[in-house]
Amino acid sequence: MDLLPDSSRSRSDSTSSSASQSSRSKTVLRQRLSQLMTCIEDMSSDDEAGEEVSRTLNEAFELCGRLLPTDAFRLHMVTWNVATAEPPEDVASLLQLNDQPPIDLYVIGLQEVNATPMRFISDLMAEDSWSHLFMDTLGPKGFVKVTSVRMQGLLLLVFAQMMHLPFIRNIQTTYTRTGIFGYWGNKGAVSVRFSFYGHMVCFLNCHLAAHMHNALQRVDEFEYILETQDFDIFDTPRVLDHKVVFWFGDLNFRIEDHGLHFVRSSINGGRLNLLWSKDQLIMMKKKEPFLQEFDEGPLNFKPTYKFDRKADTYDTSSAKTWLGFKTNTVAVLPLTMYRPRPLQRCSTTFHFLLTSLFWGMVCFCLGAWYRELNPPSGKKRKPAWTDRILWRIKPKNLPSEEDDNDDKKASTSTDNGQEEYPIMVIQNTYTSVMSYGVSDHKPVIGNFTLELKKCFDTQLVHLAPVGEWSADQNALLSYTILEDFMSSTWDWIGLYKVGFKSASDYETFVWVRENELPEVNEVIEKSVDKDEIPLLSGEYVLGYYSTNLNSIVGLSDSFQILESKHAAMEGLVAKDINGIDK
């Protein structure tokens, strides 16, 4: 996290019903339509019957209007096990930058990012190479990194168009280790949760236990992750409390029973449907009720593991020798155990580094011992859909018998928040991108439309520059709290150049008024020292950062900073100013 100062469409929605769960709103709607049909059948020429028809129709259509979301947002998700590789030069096709309608949110989950001790330490001091690549690619397109979270090789990044930033609030991240009884983070999960226009969403990037025989262990690990991850939010303390949950990553589920030849011939012949019934995740969903709540689009793309690097051919590696034994892959001691210990919470500190290094040495020694006692067979890996994207809409309680039988109460009762502000998830694309070969996994992308009714569309803070801005004189800005929220004297206002990459990518900042918290609608002015203002002209915005909500809750309209007289006289250009574009 930042350190701050071509398949068929699948659809889920929070207003849909099934055999086990139903929506009160739809129940009421059915009741109204049933009444309408009864009225039509019994309608006579008298005015009373006509008025009943009109009243029932109005109620039905009013309810329909409340059910229909009013806004649609595009979400593009990526999951990729990068197998410690360095990023490719170009990720445009991975991100579908020219997609129409344009993307609103990007969520990128990576597994096995290079996490050797020295590399991991260097990444603590600066962004890792993968984060840099995505920020450099998406920044010029108007996307800002909302947050990120990393646990060793697991990395989760969230980007949003700048205009959405004030409406992404209550951002929190967490992680769960499941390797070596919960001490080692080579396997586990990282997650990000936030409120998007008032709708609580959570993204969970997982890397579960490997190998064919560990299907039950993978399910157990996922259940453990759901049970132990918690957030400091009173109404959504757990992952499954959120209205929408996206579960994705290298889930490591394999294809059972079928032999290598049958699997490859089915893939080459385009008969992927022959493999679906033996996919472990599909099989487990039939057995585990909590998995049945997650939806997934059809697997109409080739299995994404295991490929030869820099090629589109499945694993052709020949057996190699290691201490006299044959092996075609690096066999390791299984690092995930059945029922790991509860989450060990600590920040990225020196203690965390020492713990990671210690257990890394233990893993290496035990792995060497395990390889000698139990060498692998040297067989080629069977292709599998290890990399997946699933989602879950929070189910709602069945309406009670009292609600079903009491028509008057149902027609006048107030919908709960989920019914009043529904959200629908429609999957537009679920496929792999075969053109990338830096890893033995192919990346998987999922493109979604989130249809929702906004709970709010007003920023918490209004910001504006006062007068002209240039480095020739001190500048003024004003801010106004439009709605009461958990403001703090540790909040600050940043000056951002349009195209900024994250909330920490400011040119300068000022603290908010420190002697007292502002009143709602109170106009407050702050001065910005001229020495902190960029010398050259450019387009900028002001952003109010809330330390309690961990997000920018107010953005000004873009405005122009004028070129300073000193810069004009000296003929300065961007590279002349301390070597950076100031």
Side-chain angles (χ1 to χ4, degrees), residues 283-320:
M283 295 169 67
M284 287 296 172
K285 286 185 68 175
K286 296 177 181 178
K287 301 176 183 178
E288 299 287 344
F290 83 101
L291 290 180
Q292 294 169 11
E293 296 179 357
F294 287 86
D295 292 318
E296 183 181 21
L299 299 172
N300 288 331
F301 54 91
K302 292 182 178 181
T304 53
Y305 177 81
K306 176 183 183 181
F307 285 87
D308 290 337
R309 295 193 187 227
K310 299 182 180 179
D312 292 337
T313 55
Y314 287 102
D315 183 23
T316 60
S317 57
S318 57
K320 300 177 182 178

Side-chain angles (χ1 to χ4, degrees), residues 208-219 251-260 263 278-281 283-284 305 334 379-386:
L208 303 180
H211 306 303
M212 177 73 71
H213 59 277
N214 284 331
L216 286 174
Q217 183 176 336
R218 286 187 274 276
V219 174
L251 308 185
N252 255 323
F253 288 101
R254 310 303 171 99
I255 298 173
E256 286 192 353
D257 297 340
H258 297 311
L260 176 64
V263 171
K278 295 301 180 181
D279 174 80
Q280 288 179 336
L281 180 53
M283 295 169 67
M284 287 296 172
Y305 177 81
K379 293 180 180 179
K380 297 179 177 64
R381 292 293 180 93
K382 188 163 58 173
W385 286 289
T386 57

Side-chain angles (χ1 to χ4, degrees), residues 55 125 170 194 237 372 415 448 475 506 575:
R55 184 183 65 81
M125 296 180 287
N170 291 313
F194 53 82
E372 292 206 29
D415 291 332
F448 299 86
Y506 50 79
K575 65 181 180 180

Side-chain angles (χ1 to χ4, degrees), residues 11-18 21-35 59-60 62-69 396-399 403-404 407 410-411 413 415-416 418-420 422-424:
R11 173 177 175 140
S12 299
D13 62 75
S14 63
T15 61
S16 63
S17 61
S18 63
Q21 289 165 338
S22 174
S23 162
R24 178 182 299 179
S25 293
K26 284 204 169 183
T27 301
V28 176
L29 179 58
R30 284 194 295 270
Q31 292 170 349
R32 293 291 158 270
L33 294 177
S34 177
Q35 292 174 7
E59 289 184 359
E62 181 182 353
L63 186 60
C64 286
R66 288 206 305 270
L67 290 174
L68 291 176
K396 291 189 291 183
N397 296 327
L398 286 167
D403 292 332
D404 290 338
D407 292 347
S411 63
S413 63
D415 291 332
N416 62 34
Q418 189 162 315
E419 293 172 331
E420 184 71 18
I423 184 170
M424 301 180 185

Side-chain angles (χ1 to χ4, degrees), residues 434-447:
M434 298 294 291
S435 58
Y436 292 98
V438 298
S439 169
D440 54 2
H441 290 250
K442 298 296 183 182
V444 170
I445 60 173
N447 188 285

Side-chain angles (χ1 to χ4, degrees), residues 353-530:
L353 293 176
L354 289 179
T355 303
S356 299
L357 291 172
F358 171 77
W359 284 108
M361 293 301 298
V362 171
C363 289
F364 179 81
C365 296
L366 291 177
W369 168 76
Y370 181 78
R371 281 191 290 265
E372 292 206 29
L373 291 181
N374 189 25
S377 63
K379 293 180 180 179
K380 297 179 177 64
R381 292 293 180 93
K382 188 163 58 173
W385 286 289
T386 57
D387 310 284
R388 313 285 276 269
I389 301 174
L390 297 90
W391 71 96
R392 172 188 183 268
I393 299 290
K394 184 180 179 181
K396 291 189 291 183
N397 296 327
L398 286 167
S400 65
E401 292 183 3
E402 181 181 355
D403 292 332
D404 290 338
N405 296 328
D406 190 351
D407 292 347
K408 183 176 180 181
K409 178 179 178 181
S411 63
T412 59
S413 63
T414 302
D415 291 332
N416 62 34
Q418 189 162 315
E419 293 172 331
E420 184 71 18
Y421 297 97
I423 184 170
M424 301 180 185
V425 177
I426 303 170
Q427 187 176 64
N428 307 310
T429 305
Y430 187 34
T431 188
S432 61
V433 185
M434 298 294 291
S435 58
Y436 292 98
V438 298
S439 169
D440 54 2
H441 290 250
K442 298 296 183 182
V444 170
I445 60 173
N447 188 285
F448 299 86
T449 298
L450 304 181
E451 293 184 356
L452 56 88
K453 184 177 181 180
K454 295 177 182 177
C455 300
F456 50 78
D457 56 7
T458 303
Q459 299 185 153
L460 293 176
V461 182
H462 176 266
L463 292 152
V466 178
E468 292 185 344
W469 279 46
S470 78
D472 297 323
Q473 59 186 5
N474 293 342
L476 278 179
L477 63 86
S478 69
Y479 69 95
T480 305
I481 305 297
L482 300 179
E483 181 182 334
D484 190 25
F485 70 100
M486 294 186 299
S487 60
S488 165
T489 55
W490 289 100
D491 294 350
W492 47 272
I493 298 170
L495 174 66
Y496 296 96
K497 190 169 186 178
V498 171
F500 67 100
K501 299 175 182 178
S502 69
S504 60
D505 188 23
Y506 50 79
E507 301 292 326
T508 186
F509 75 95
V510 294
W511 297 106
V512 299
R513 188 174 65 186
E514 60 181 349
N515 54 340
E516 61 178 325
L517 293 175
E519 299 290 336
V520 174
N521 294 326
E522 178 185 2
V523 179
I524 302 171
E525 291 189 345
K526 292 288 293 184
S527 175
V528 181
D529 191 279
K530 63 181 181 179

Side-chain angles (χ1 to χ4, degrees), residues 177-186 333-337 340-341 359-360 362-363 366:
R177 305 185 189 101
T178 58
I180 307 187
F181 304 105
Y183 282 106
W184 186 242
N186 66 309
L333 177 71
L335 298 182
T336 50
M337 307 298 179
R341 287 185 56 176
W359 284 108
V362 171
C363 289
L366 291 177

